[in-house]
Amino acid sequence: LLLRYKDKLIETDVRNMPMPQHMLHILEQLEQLPPDLALFVYHKKIPMFLLPELKQNGYKYAIQENSGTVLMLIYKQHL
């Protein structure tokens, strides 16, 4: 997926944001995200309450935990 979106990523770091700001920030970024780009998020934990919201709005995501940081790639599901 990272190769697919190489040079087409918007990065955001929400590790230091309190709840629910991190979720609101991610949703805000997604509203402005062009369909051919993906959002790459640095998070401190897997945002369990965000995942159903993403699915409901037609987004797909990939999550990887790496040394205490959660890396998350969010992209629009193309039909």
Side-chain angles (χ1 to χ4, degrees):
L1 281 173
L2 284 177
L3 287 176
R4 179 173 158 194
Y5 287 102
K6 186 179 184 251
D7 301 323
K8 293 183 176 187
L9 290 176
I10 303 293
E11 292 187 26
T12 191
D13 189 340
V14 298
R15 291 176 285 190
N16 294 320
M17 291 183 184
M19 288 176 49
Q21 276 187 334
H22 56 78
M23 183 172 162
L24 296 174
H25 176 76
I26 291 169
L27 291 172
E28 216 172 77
Q29 293 291 308
L30 290 172
E31 283 179 15
Q32 302 169 20
L33 190 70
D36 60 329
L37 298 183
L39 185 64
F40 191 82
V41 180
Y42 297 91
H43 210 304
K44 61 184 172 185
K45 63 180 185 161
I46 297 174
M48 299 306 293
F49 294 110
L50 176 64
L51 302 182
E53 187 89 18
L54 293 175
K55 187 175 181 178
Q56 179 181 337
N57 288 308
Y59 289 97
K60 289 194 169 203
Y61 55 86
I63 298 174
Q64 180 181 1
E65 293 185 76
N66 187 6
S67 302
T69 297
V70 172
L71 307 173
M72 200 171 171
L73 181 69
I74 307 171
Y75 56 99
K76 193 69 171 177
Q77 179 176 346
H78 296 288
L79 301 174

